[in-house]
Structures are given as structure tokens and as C-alpha cells.
Amino acid sequence: MNKLMNCIKKVLEKKEIKQTWLANKPGKSFHIVNSNVCNYRQPSLEVRFKITKSFK
């Protein structure tokens, strides 16, 4: 089975943003953001909205 495409990782690469920058935006630790980027765990809906606002 194919893994779902990780949109967070693609946007970070496209905008040339580091995971540490993103970890500071929603107030989560680098470990949590890294887990989301690597598809080990999915962020909650609330965190997804915060991430989306951070990219704008």
C-alpha cells in the first residue's frame, strides 16, 4: 500500500522552511513536528489549521 503524500514536507521544501521554524509556530516541540513531517503521526485538526496559517 502506498503511503499518503506528506503535504507538510512538500510545502516546507518548496518554501525552503526548516522544521524548527514550524515547530515554533504552533507551539509544538520539534519532536512532534518531525513526527508529523515524517508521517509517523498525524497532527490534530487544530494543529493543521495553525500550520496552514503559518504558511500564509
Side-chain angles (χ1 to χ4, degrees):
M1 185 182 290
N2 293 338
K3 279 191 167 184
L4 293 174
M5 184 184 307
N6 189 326
C7 294
I8 298 172
K9 185 174 183 175
K10 288 192 128 194
V11 172
L12 286 173
E13 290 173 353
K14 182 179 178 181
K15 293 188 176 264
E16 297 178 352
I17 298 172
K18 302 226 183 257
Q19 291 180 31
T20 52
W21 176 86
L22 185 59
N24 291 328
K25 293 298 178 180
K28 299 293 181 184
S29 70
F30 176 79
H31 176 73
I32 298 295
V33 171
N34 183 264
S35 295
N36 297 152
V37 170
C38 295
N39 274 342
Y40 295 130
R41 64 187 291 178
Q42 295 298 314
S44 68
L45 189 56
E46 179 183 346
V47 172
R48 289 178 193 195
F49 283 127
K50 289 180 181 181
I51 290 171
T52 302
K53 287 180 182 180
S54 297
F55 286 137
K56 292 185 179 183

